[in-house]
C-alpha cells in the first residue's frame, strides 16, 4: 500500500519492506520530489520494493488526477498507482 498525506508518504510492501519520507509537487510545472527517504525491513530479493525505492528516490515529475498517479523518473521510467 502507498499512502500520501500532509506532505509525507508511507509505503508498506507485502514482503515486509517499507519506505517513507516527504514529498512535494508543483501543479503548474508537474515537478515532483521526495526527500528524507527512509527504508525499513528487507529489500533483498524484493524487486518491486527495490524499484519503488528507485522511483521515489529519483522522482522528477508526476501526472494524474484523483483516480490515478504516475510518479516519473523520466518519460519511460515511472510507477503508476490507482485509487
Amino acid at each position: 500500500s502507498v499512502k500520501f498525506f500532509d506532505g509525507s508518504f508511507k509505503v508498506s510492501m507485502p514482503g515486509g519492506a517499507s519506505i517513507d519520507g516527504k514529498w512535494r509537487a508543483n501543479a503548474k510545472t508537474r515537478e515532483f520530489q521526495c526527500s528524507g527517504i527512509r527504508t525499513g525491513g528487507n529489500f533483498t530479493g524484493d524487486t518491486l520494493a527495490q524499484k519503488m525505492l528507485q522511483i521515489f528516490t529519483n522522482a522528477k515529475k508526476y501526472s494524474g488526477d484523483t483516480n490515478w498517479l504516475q510518479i516519473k523518473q523520466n518519460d519511460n521510467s515511472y510507477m503508476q498507482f490507482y485509487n
Side-chain angles (χ1 to χ4, degrees):
S1 74
V2 179
K3 295 180 182 179
F4 292 96
F5 48 93
D6 298 329
S8 297
F9 69 93
K10 183 171 180 90
V11 180
S12 300
M13 304 297 294
S18 65
I19 307 166
D20 64 81
K22 305 271 185 208
W23 67 271
R24 68 179 184 170
N26 182 317
K28 191 173 193 174
T29 63
R30 297 291 200 177
E31 291 176 343
F32 186 92
Q33 292 181 311
C34 296
S35 62
I37 296 172
R38 297 178 306 235
T39 61
N42 187 2
F43 279 74
T44 304
D46 191 334
T47 306
L48 180 58
Q50 292 172 2
K51 184 64 175 177
M52 287 186 83
L53 178 59
Q54 178 188 7
I55 294 286
F56 281 112
T57 301
N58 300 309
K60 303 277 188 250
K61 297 223 173 233
Y62 78 96
S63 22
D65 57 27
T66 57
N67 295 312
W68 64 277
L69 170 67
Q70 282 184 348
I71 299 176
K72 303 176 178 187
Q73 284 181 236
N74 57 53
D75 288 336
N76 297 319
S77 184
Y78 60 87
M79 182 132 324
Q80 186 160 315
F81 305 95
Y82 294 94
N83 186 11

